[in-house]
Amino acid sequence: MTTRIFGSGIRRREDPRLITGRASYTDDIKLPGMLHAAILRSPYAHANITSIDASGAASQPGVVAVYTGADTDGVLNGMPCAWLIPGSDLKTPAHPAIAKDKVRYVGDAVAVVVAETRYQAEDALEHIAVDYEPLGVVVSPKAAAQDGAPQLHEDVPNNIAFTWAVAGGDADAAFADAAVTVSDTITLQRLIANPMEPRSALAQWNAPMGELTLWNTSQNPHIARFLTCVVTGVPEHKIRVIAPEVGGGFGSKIPYYPDEAITSFCAMKLGVPVKWTETRSENYQITTQGRDHIEEVEMAATSDGVITGLRTTVYAGMGGYLSTASPGIPTILHGLMYSGPYNIPNISGTIYGVFNNGCPVDAYRGAGRPEATNLLERLVDLVAAAVGQDPAEVRRKNLIPKFENGHDVATGITYDSGDYEAALDSALSAAGYESLRAEQAQARADGRCVGVGVSSYVEICGLGPSQVAGAVGFQGGLWESAIVRFHPTGKVHVMIGSSPHGQGEETTFAQIIASEVGVDVDDVDVIHGDTDNTPMGWGTYGSRTTAVSGAAVAVAVRKIKDKSRALAAHLLEAAPEDIEYEDGRFFVRGSPDQHKTIQDIALMANVAWNMPEGMEPGLEASAFYDPPNFTYPFGAHVAVVEVDPETGRIDLQRYVAVDDCGPQINPMIVEGQVHGGIVQGVGPALWEGAVYDDDGQLVTGSMLDYALPRADLLPELEVHSNTTPSPHHPLGVKGIGEAGTIASTPTVYNAVMDALRPLGVTRVDMPLTPEKVWRAINDARNGG
Amino acid sequence: MTIPVEITINGKACAGEVEPRQLLVHFIRENAGLTGTKVGCDTSQCGTCTVQLDGVSAKACTVLTVQASGSSVTTIEGLSDGVDLHPLQEAFWNNHGLQCGFCTPGMIMAANELLSRNPSPSREEIRHGLEGNICRCTGYQNIVSAVEDAAKSMGGR
């Protein structure tokens, strides 16, 4: 029974508190004497601060303190960037938590008010007088990199924060010799992550002990502790960061933000707990956004559609400052994936990270890989059109053949295992691809615009080998650790350093324990999110929690199993090699009645009345797992759309996904990740985009204007899977958190272009809103 | 200036002196101490603050506390005692209708009213009925399944 728990879609152990309203998120926590902070933000995208007079706010009802950059200057250190890409001429200009002299995006913090209630704090903001001298604004990352563009940072010429190149083979020669070349300029618009829980920070300062406790909406509390130490100067062992229930993150809760530092500063100055929670409008202005790429891309191929080369020039917007991980996103997590699932022997890419007057850009679900997959899949479709072949067949002939243990690609990385053609076959079969094409031909004959989109993808997950992290400039490791502790009654606590916030590891990690040593999943509680109660870990992002933290759990519980076997042998007076294990029982070979359950072992180990010579009491093990390679999940997706040419409206009619993340611990949870991922990628294809006007004002400043996917806009998703284990992982698992988002944007985009191609439309900038599609159709009709 | 209010929340009278501008969601969270009801936006788009106000679902961020005085409010905490679950809670659990859980209280409260109006909704009707509640984790599909499942166990077909 228990051994089959691995792979079972059991319902989640974390759900009871969530479905009953009994979970505590950061903003739900109230401490005695707690005050509330509100932060004044720049209304200008780029301006010098000529004066600040905060005296008016100080006398407002309930106001306890008002601080500006003059107060934090020299007390708080600058906001750190923690991914320093080597060989890229990276500039890391100063990023004060509170701007003192200059603001660089709408939302830059200028002052903070602490008051007895949040209403009072927000009221008082209006009584701070700030004089600004507006400066020139630049929003487009490409425009920002040109001579004469407004300069955001004095010491960063042309706003270029870094220049990073990736190369393999000889791309220029491939293009010179190519029978077919296709090109496009792709704008992958800024996206707003929109976790449903706004960010929040609650800081408590224990002055006599010099201890700072920070409750924070973080995907990685141990990193938050480390960076709190860097910014506040409080020693690391005197900082406790707690990420309680966290309501989604999608990358936007990885960074350490000025707001956390400011809230901590206030608590330390005042000696009372201070809480800050962003409004959704603030979230839109200040919580890191995703993408913001302008990509000039081209692909070379033979006349038969065999891809021979890829060249890219990418301008990646960084926003006003570098965020915690931003330089790594369009480089390591993007450019290294330029081969995708294909044999592309010749690759050359140049990525410019560019400061522009917007919210800082950092990881957003997929983080670099959606951008890579999107450009590849669009180009492959252009190649298919250019050579007059079916896009699925062009993919098939370029896919890397099945491999089980390592495949090198031109960008210099080694994929772990893959069977890309099987995924494509499964997707085409599940979609009924041939029938779809026949139906499409009939629809076209009837004058209807039906399109079928296909994409293949591979992503880099399970970040990652720490030596590689160091080599690519990540200012930390990427291993994970776990402690598995059996109590005398056989109940289990598992402490992990990663920090799930919706992904369900309280359940899947209990399943790992249960499947290894035969306890009931309900007897295992997984503890995470508190730096005082969990071992070191680097956090939950990059589809790495199951792949890395789960491996640590597996390694730790296998140590438990080894010790249990040895103790069972001692108690049963048998040789350890004669002890067999099945379903939670350790027994003497051939004598199943002579056994000890794991619960017996837990009790005997904890009371330690009769331990073998040299064996320590207790039944607890820890593991530090540093992955030998990344994991590379993959898949293929198919979408069907119909476009109304008279209105430009797109009806997404079907969506078929085949994903291969290796063995699935809990297929129900995997499917849920795929559902959510797909929808987060459909959004930017059809509806979502953060729009800044020429003055750097965020036009899409609320959920009214930023079009998030809603339940009634989506078809029933058809989700399937294949299973190709990772050769290097203790459980073979790869990770599934980002797959859907990576695949779905180009799948839907390609379907729409497939529908529009007979009308002469070959490209439209995303999101494919009805107005843009209608204009493109009309322009094509008018000979444009 | 403050105004006295009395609101019955989950069957219990909650009295307070509040500013006229106070939003009902803040009364529920701050004055009544019921934090199951969430604040996810400031433009009445997201639906995380959905409660039942005199039996009708309402976004508690668009109602002033003083408007609700004398009314009866049900929040997620009032749907069950937290142990013997409401069929919707059970169905969200069984169908993996939640991930991070932040939208869930509002989603369940919106679904509860939907089922009171239409005990046997089609999947399409459920999707339409929940368009005022945003979820970023699930892609909605399992939420629709959960509501469909709850409808069955609550006596609809």
Side-chain angles (χ1 to χ4, degrees), chain A residues 11-12 28 123 712 717, chain B residues 21 38 94 99 131 141:
Chain A
R11 61 184 189 174
R12 297 200 312 174
D28 298 337
D123 284 348
D712 59 336
L717 308 171
Chain B
R21 63 175 176 167
K38 302 302 181 195
N94 290 337
Q99 289 177 27
E131 66 179 347
Q141 190 145 319

Side-chain angles (χ1 to χ4, degrees), chain A residues 654-675:
Chain A
R654 281 186 69 195
Y655 197 95
V656 179
V658 173
D659 297 289
D660 191 330
C661 61
Q664 299 180 8
I665 300 169
N666 185 318
M668 182 181 76
I669 289 175
V670 169
E671 191 174 282
Q673 289 294 312
V674 173
H675 286 163

Side-chain angles (χ1 to χ4, degrees), chain A residues 160-517:
Chain A
I160 296 176
F162 58 86
T163 305
W164 183 84
V166 58
D170 187 342
D172 289 343
F175 276 82
D177 295 343
V180 174
T181 61
V182 295
S183 64
D184 199 355
T185 298
I186 296 171
T187 299
L188 191 36
Q189 71 272 27
R190 273 179 179 256
L191 300 174
I192 301 178
N194 274 291
M196 292 313 298
E197 181 206 24
R199 286 193 306 109
S200 182
L202 165 58
Q204 183 180 38
W205 175 241
N206 185 325
M209 297 300 290
E211 290 171 353
L212 178 67
T213 304
L214 177 70
W215 288 261
N216 189 205
T217 48
S218 175
Q219 297 177 221
N220 28 248
H222 293 272
I223 291 181
R225 180 180 63 179
F226 180 56
L227 296 180
T228 299
C229 164
V230 168
V231 174
T232 65
V234 179
E236 199 173 4
H237 68 303
K238 296 288 188 183
I239 301 169
R240 178 182 187 184
V241 175
I242 302 171
E245 211 75 61
V246 175
F250 314 117
S252 72
K253 291 174 182 170
I254 297 172
Y256 180 73
Y257 286 89
D259 316 295
E260 282 90 308
I262 294 167
T263 305
S264 299
F265 171 87
C266 292
M268 292 171 71
K269 285 287 273 192
L270 299 170
V272 291
V274 176
K275 181 159 79 181
W276 167 87
T277 302
E278 67 183 359
T279 64
R280 180 60 62 180
S281 300
E282 272 182 302
N283 174 278
Y284 274 36
Q285 290 187 350
I286 63 168
T287 293
T288 54
Q289 300 176 356
R291 322 294 192 241
D292 200 19
H293 278 203
I294 294 175
E295 304 163 343
E296 295 164 353
V297 295
E298 50 187 341
M299 185 172 269
T302 67
S303 58
D304 195 34
V306 175
I307 301 166
T308 55
L310 174 78
R311 283 196 298 218
T312 76
T313 302
V314 173
Y315 299 89
M318 295 287 108
Y321 305 91
L322 294 180
S323 174
T324 304
S326 45
I329 310 303
T331 53
I332 307 305
L333 295 177
H334 173 74
L336 292 183
M337 291 309 295
Y338 272 168
S339 194
Y342 307 112
N343 271 316
I344 305 181
N346 306 293
I347 292 173
S348 165
T350 303
I351 284 94
Y352 299 101
V354 187
F355 289 112
N356 53 351
N357 294 114
C359 176
V361 175
D362 206 322
Y364 169 54
R365 199 170 190 167
R369 292 95 89 204
E371 297 91 317
T373 300
N374 186 62
L375 71 85
L376 279 174
E377 292 307 294
R378 285 173 63 159
L379 287 169
V380 170
D381 261 29
L382 293 178
V383 167
V387 300
Q389 293 182 18
D390 182 279
E393 289 314 304
V394 170
R395 282 177 173 75
R396 183 188 306 285
K397 74 175 65 176
N398 286 290
L399 289 174
I400 297 164
K402 178 179 177 176
F403 59 99
E404 291 176 355
N405 198 359
H407 178 88
D408 297 337
V409 293
T411 56
I413 55 176
T414 304
Y415 298 170
D416 58 346
S417 60
D419 191 352
Y420 307 138
E421 191 168 358
L424 180 63
D425 284 339
S426 299
L428 297 179
S429 166
Y433 187 70
E434 284 183 28
S435 310
L436 286 176
R437 287 297 180 197
E439 290 163 25
Q440 179 186 38
Q442 183 60 50
R444 281 179 175 168
D446 297 341
R448 289 162 48 218
C449 293
V450 171
V452 182
V454 182
S455 74
S456 290
Y457 75 93
V458 60
E459 52 164 333
I460 182 169
C461 288
L463 320 180
S466 298
Q467 194 179 0
V468 177
V472 299
F474 184 70
Q475 302 297 298
L478 282 170
W479 49 269
E480 285 296 328
S481 66
I483 299 169
V484 177
R485 179 177 299 155
F486 274 72
H487 300 297
T489 57
K491 311 299 183 192
V492 186
H493 271 137
V494 181
M495 280 68 78
I496 55 172
S498 59
S499 197
H501 43 281
Q503 297 87 348
E505 277 86 0
E506 290 180 36
T507 304
T508 49
F509 285 7
Q511 287 180 265
I512 293 172
I513 302 291
S515 70
E516 293 285 337
V517 290

